[in-house]
Amino acid sequence: MSQDTKTEVQEFEYKAEMKQLLHLIIHSLYTHPEIFLRELISNASDALNKLRLLKLTNHEILDPDLPLKITIEVDEKNRTFSIEDTGVGMSRVDLIERIGTVASSGTMEFLETLKKEGASFDGDLIGQFGVGFYSVFMVTDEVTIETRHYAPGSQGYRWKSVGEGKFIVEEIDRQQRGTKISFTLKKDAEEFCEVHRIKSIIQRYSNFVNFPIYVGTEQVNTIGALWHRKKDEIKEEELNEFYKFVSNDFHPPLGHLHLNIEGRVNFKALIFIPQSPPLRLFDPEHEKSLHLYSNRVFIQDDCKELVPEYLIFLKGVVDTEDLPLNVSREVTQSSPVTAKIREIITGRVLSFLEDWAKNDPEKYDTFFKNFGRYLKLGINLDPANRDRLLDLLRFESTKTEPGKLTSLREYVARMNGEQKEIYFITGDSRGSLEKNPNLEYFAKNDIEVLLLTDQVDVFTIGSIPEYDGKPLKSIEKADIDIKDRDEDDADSLSDEEVKEVFRVFRETLGGKVEDVIGSKRLVDSAATLVFGKHGLDPHTERMMKLIDKDFSSSKKILEINLRHPLIRNLARLSLARKDEEFVKNSVLHIYEGALLIEDNLTSPEEFVRRMTDIMVRASKIEY
Ligand code: ADP
């Protein structure tokens, strides 16, 4: 350690949220305490990457010839651990502002929920929230950072945590550029001062770091840009390890693409499709995307511009020399080179998925169940690839087994000659949709209906008016193109009875419905509510309800089944002017029953009271 001439020692308090986070880390049980090593190495590697870029872009640097490397020293006897890098180092302000604060405000909330749910605190999550450094507190109580910034003539500093709530910063004499982090391991973490343990962790998590990592004097990682090697020379094991390294994911990827593009733009890329989405869906801030390299030199992590928003779940690296080295985020965003790369990657990924869908449908279905929502988003976001995306969509239908999916193309192929429209219904679950009376006609006539149960379907379906020239129609709409059943029925209602039943329904329901009409679609049920021409579409209404809990439904049309014994009996009773109270109660009850099925019944008390009255009448014994 360098001899320090101490000047002023300043003490600081962590911000409240930082204190909470530390408290949580220190007092929780961990599933993966070894993650601390990955986080420290990853910070050191970031610092070295930044330095290499500064050098390449001709910045003035302290000790420009100092080799770029990471050195770890452990001492089993004293349980000490240190990691040192020759990267950019930190200024006094960096130490205070970057090490002492939580980057994202969502972090605390998320950690709190995890805690409340009683989940054991997975150290692996820590790195996802921009507080990776603090994972060291899983294995130690006190940490010292000694650092010197890369600017020539910079001052060295020591940062030291003292107790849970405080840290100090003081000036020191430090010769070497870069950062050294040292601490004594807690008794229950002493395994991390064993050389073989450290080596095996590095090989597992950090093998692909682009700088040599020494444990003592021995280099333990293999360096090499995997994407520059020939496809058939890369072992699957290496790919999996590399994926884990770039994605922070524990599981192997579902698939990968290795691209070597030459032409208007030139780039190499290794792109992975994960097995499942990150914990927090659609949280762009935390979604790690592709890393950008230029001829093996790391330029930017998490370069979201390399893929369209709806493919943000892809992980991996893109290596191109067509972008300038000192590229800033703003430049990458607006560069035509980035746009071209994005276009090519999108095309290749879609082809890859199409190939899966065709040749390995089971794997594709697994993919779609996890990432289908992203593709649905693409329907609206990417007009150029809209048709390809439509063909990649999958839904359940009345002709698929539960849990199995169908494409629109397969649906169309199954349509019989007379069917002109593609039918669908939206709702919460397959189970509840299957009981919907609106399906009865379709079931009886063997017409397939798509069962859309994903919440985002209500958003997506509105923007697919037709597929392959066939309109998509909700079977909950009144104006549906279905034929009446022309069955002989000896007991059918007379014209007078029909007139009477409409009169009594319309009078009793008054303004509650837009209209009452005879139903062509009902088979076993007495009545159903459908959406009229003037109201919203069913999926639009569901969408509004997702957005606004208190959104009130539009008036609907009540369709009644004139072949149903209940409707017939009521028609005849009413015409005979008998038991008018009972007829009215029954009409109201039929209407509210239909409301109940679509989950819109607001007064169950009244419903049950009326049902009791009806049952009293039905159970009356005549002495
Ligand atoms: P993250 O790395 O996700 O930003 P950390 O808590 O691990 O979060 O680190 C916070 C910041 O501290 C980093 O962004 C970086 O600016 C700085 N830092 C950490 N370790 C080093 C290091 N070895 N060299 C230089 N700066 C570092």
Side-chain angles (χ1 to χ4, degrees):
M1 209 186 282
S2 57
Q3 192 63 40
D4 35 328
T5 47
K6 269 192 203 148
T7 51
E8 197 189 353
V9 180
Q10 252 192 305
E11 192 172 84
F12 297 85
E13 252 189 75
Y14 290 117
K15 295 218 173 91
E17 61 204 9
M18 197 68 232
K19 280 191 195 165
Q20 281 181 49
L21 176 71
L22 278 177
H23 187 85
L24 218 75
I25 294 176
I26 294 165
H27 298 281
S28 299
L29 285 171
Y30 304 102
T31 42
H32 301 100
E34 73 271 21
I35 292 298
F36 88 92
L37 187 54
R38 184 186 75 188
E39 294 301 329
L40 293 185
I41 290 177
S42 144
N43 282 349
S45 157
D46 286 351
L48 289 162
N49 271 322
K50 285 180 196 157
L51 192 100
R52 179 155 65 182
L53 203 58
L54 288 165
K55 258 170 95 169
L56 285 168
T57 47
N58 302 319
H59 284 74
E60 290 265 341
I61 285 166
L62 178 74
D63 282 344
D65 298 325
L66 195 63
L68 301 181
K69 60 173 184 170
I70 298 170
T71 312
I72 294 171
E73 302 276 359
V74 287
D75 179 342
E76 285 198 40
K77 247 209 250 115
N78 299 312
R79 285 213 311 273
T80 54
F81 180 102
S82 75
I83 173 169
E84 181 159 23
D85 66 68
T86 51
V88 282
M90 282 179 272
S91 65
R92 186 171 178 278
V93 174
D94 289 341
L95 280 172
I96 297 165
E97 291 187 354
R98 302 217 172 148
I99 297 285
T101 43
V102 186
S104 145
S105 56
T107 306
M108 286 316 304
E109 253 169 66
F110 181 70
L111 291 174
E112 283 297 327
T113 355
L114 268 190
K115 204 173 118 192
K116 264 192 221 119
E117 284 167 6
S120 68
F121 190 68
D122 189 338
D124 189 43
L125 292 172
I126 261 182
Q128 296 183 12
F129 299 110
V131 288
F133 168 74
Y134 281 91
S135 57
V136 293
F137 289 104
M138 296 193 286
V139 296
T140 183
D141 297 316
E142 201 178 279
V143 182
T144 302
I145 304 175
E146 289 165 304
T147 184
R148 186 162 173 201
H149 192 250
Y150 71 85
S154 65
Q155 170 67 47
Y157 290 98
R158 175 182 298 133
W159 176 104
K160 198 169 176 174
S161 70
V162 280
E164 249 180 59
K166 294 185 180 126
F167 62 88
I168 55 149
V169 176
E170 63 187 317
E171 284 185 8
I172 53 168
D173 272 344
R174 181 178 161 85
Q175 297 302 316
Q176 190 168 296
R177 179 192 73 217
T179 304
K180 177 175 183 177
I181 295 173
S182 46
F183 46 86
T184 304
L185 290 158
K186 290 185 203 176
K187 187 85 184 82
D188 63 2
E190 64 186 348
E191 60 186 294
F192 301 114
C193 55
E194 291 162 23
V195 169
H196 73 269
R197 178 86 172 99
I198 295 290
K199 282 207 278 198
S200 80
I201 301 172
I202 293 173
Q203 265 139 21
R204 175 141 178 240
Y205 292 117
S206 308
N207 213 9
F208 295 95
V209 166
N210 248 320
F211 305 93
I213 305 175
Y214 294 91
V215 175
T217 51
E218 186 191 353
Q219 182 181 334
V220 290
N221 61 330
T222 44
I223 302 174
L226 209 55
W227 58 93
H228 274 271
R229 303 227 310 257
K230 288 211 185 83
K231 275 181 209 187
D232 48 9
E233 283 172 7
I234 309 177
K235 290 197 224 93
E236 187 173 328
E237 211 180 29
E238 286 177 299
L239 278 170
N240 288 350
E241 290 305 320
F242 181 68
Y243 167 71
K244 287 181 190 170
F245 174 66
V246 287
S247 68
N248 275 4
D249 192 349
F250 264 118
H251 308 284
L254 195 63
H256 80 276
L257 295 81
H258 190 168
L259 307 179
N260 187 357
I261 306 291
E262 283 169 10
R264 277 217 287 137
V265 292
N266 303 287
F267 68 93
K268 292 186 166 60
L270 248 183
I271 294 173
F272 297 91
I273 298 172
Q275 281 190 24
S276 49
L279 280 161
R280 298 202 281 178
L281 201 65
F282 297 128
D283 182 353
E285 210 190 311
H286 288 98
E287 200 127 9
K288 293 272 177 270
S289 180
L290 299 175
H291 302 308
L292 179 63
Y293 282 73
S294 174
N295 194 19
R296 299 162 216 243
V297 176
F298 174 88
I299 308 285
Q300 268 178 31
D301 65 354
D302 194 17
C303 188
K304 295 199 167 65
E305 292 71 33
L306 291 171
V307 284
E309 208 180 333
Y310 69 94
L311 293 179
I312 195 87
F313 59 86
L314 299 171
K315 309 279 183 243
V317 297
V318 174
D319 190 333
T320 180
E321 286 180 72
D322 293 353
L323 281 165
L325 265 184
N326 56 351
V327 62
S328 69
R329 292 222 179 242
E330 291 67 41
V331 172
T332 353
Q333 265 165 35
S334 55
S335 157
V337 175
T338 319
K340 191 73 200 155
I341 295 178
R342 183 170 57 228
E343 189 190 316
I344 294 173
I345 291 181
T346 307
R348 291 299 182 100
V349 169
L350 294 183
S351 308
F352 183 81
L353 294 175
E354 284 157 1
D355 188 59
W356 251 358
K358 196 164 154 226
N359 299 316
D360 195 349
E362 249 172 62
K363 198 165 193 177
Y364 182 72
D365 281 3
T366 311
F367 163 80
F368 192 82
K369 280 177 191 153
N370 281 324
F371 295 100
R373 283 187 162 194
Y374 288 80
L375 299 189
K376 289 172 188 170
L377 211 65
I379 302 279
N380 287 324
L381 293 177
D382 189 359
N385 287 305
R386 187 184 155 87
D387 288 346
R388 296 178 76 179
L389 286 164
L390 281 180
D391 273 325
L392 285 168
L393 295 186
R394 296 290 180 273
F395 304 102
E396 284 202 48
S397 93
T398 49
K399 292 208 173 161
T400 63
E401 310 250 314
K404 294 265 182 299
L405 305 171
T406 181
S407 66
L408 292 170
R409 183 172 299 280
E410 288 161 346
Y411 178 105
V412 169
R414 282 190 292 264
M415 280 166 67
N416 69 33
E418 282 174 33
Q419 190 185 337
K420 301 278 180 298
E421 302 172 327
I422 296 173
Y423 298 111
F424 69 87
I425 181 165
T426 56
D428 290 338
S429 69
R430 182 177 180 125
S432 70
L433 286 182
E434 278 176 338
K435 291 188 203 97
N436 192 305
N438 289 327
L439 270 179
E440 288 170 7
Y441 169 89
F442 297 89
K444 177 134 185 158
N445 291 284
D446 196 33
I447 300 172
E448 181 168 6
V449 178
L450 299 172
L451 305 171
L452 310 188
T453 51
D454 183 358
Q455 277 196 347
V456 305
D457 287 336
V458 296
F459 297 88
T460 317
I461 205 75
S463 52
I464 317 177
E466 59 157 60
Y467 172 82
D468 195 18
K470 305 181 175 58
L472 268 75
K473 269 279 178 66
S474 164
I475 62 162
E476 293 175 283
K477 289 279 280 184
D479 66 331
I480 199 159
D481 178 27
I482 51 181
K483 279 205 296 195
D484 207 354
R485 285 180 293 142
D486 38 18
E487 290 163 29
D488 257 352
D489 194 341
D491 193 29
S492 59
L493 293 174
S494 69
D495 290 352
E496 206 186 359
E497 285 163 343
V498 170
K499 238 170 101 185
E500 176 59 19
V501 81
F502 283 129
R503 184 198 66 77
V504 72
F505 265 88
R506 287 186 183 129
E507 266 183 37
T508 311
L509 296 177
K512 288 184 169 51
V513 291
E514 191 184 305
D515 198 2
V516 180
I517 60 172
S519 179
K520 295 179 196 169
R521 75 186 87 202
L522 293 177
V523 179
D524 302 317
S525 300
T528 185
L529 283 163
V530 294
F531 287 72
K533 272 216 173 85
H534 310 297
L536 292 173
D537 280 328
H539 42 277
T540 315
E541 183 170 309
R542 280 198 187 103
M543 181 168 88
M544 293 311 291
K545 283 189 177 163
L546 282 178
I547 298 168
D548 172 10
K549 269 202 318 323
D550 301 324
F551 184 84
S552 57
S553 310
S554 49
K555 265 190 208 174
K556 302 209 179 103
I557 294 176
L558 185 72
E559 280 194 9
I560 53 176
N561 181 358
L562 297 173
R563 294 182 193 84
H564 197 280
L566 176 58
I567 302 294
R568 286 171 176 169
N569 292 346
L570 290 176
R572 286 163 187 156
L573 263 179
S574 188
L575 197 61
R577 293 279 171 267
K578 278 199 182 148
D579 222 344
E580 284 179 49
E581 191 58 31
F582 171 76
V583 173
K584 275 198 179 142
N585 263 344
S586 301
V587 169
L588 278 172
H589 211 64
I590 289 169
Y591 165 69
E592 290 202 353
L595 280 182
L596 179 62
I597 284 181
E598 56 173 41
D599 209 12
N600 277 326
L601 181 67
T602 47
S603 59
E605 305 79 12
E606 211 173 303
F607 183 80
V608 170
R609 191 184 45 70
R610 192 183 317 103
M611 185 169 73
T612 312
D613 287 349
I614 295 172
M615 282 159 70
V616 166
R617 185 193 182 278
S619 61
K620 209 185 273 168
I621 301 172
E622 314 246 334
Y623 293 99

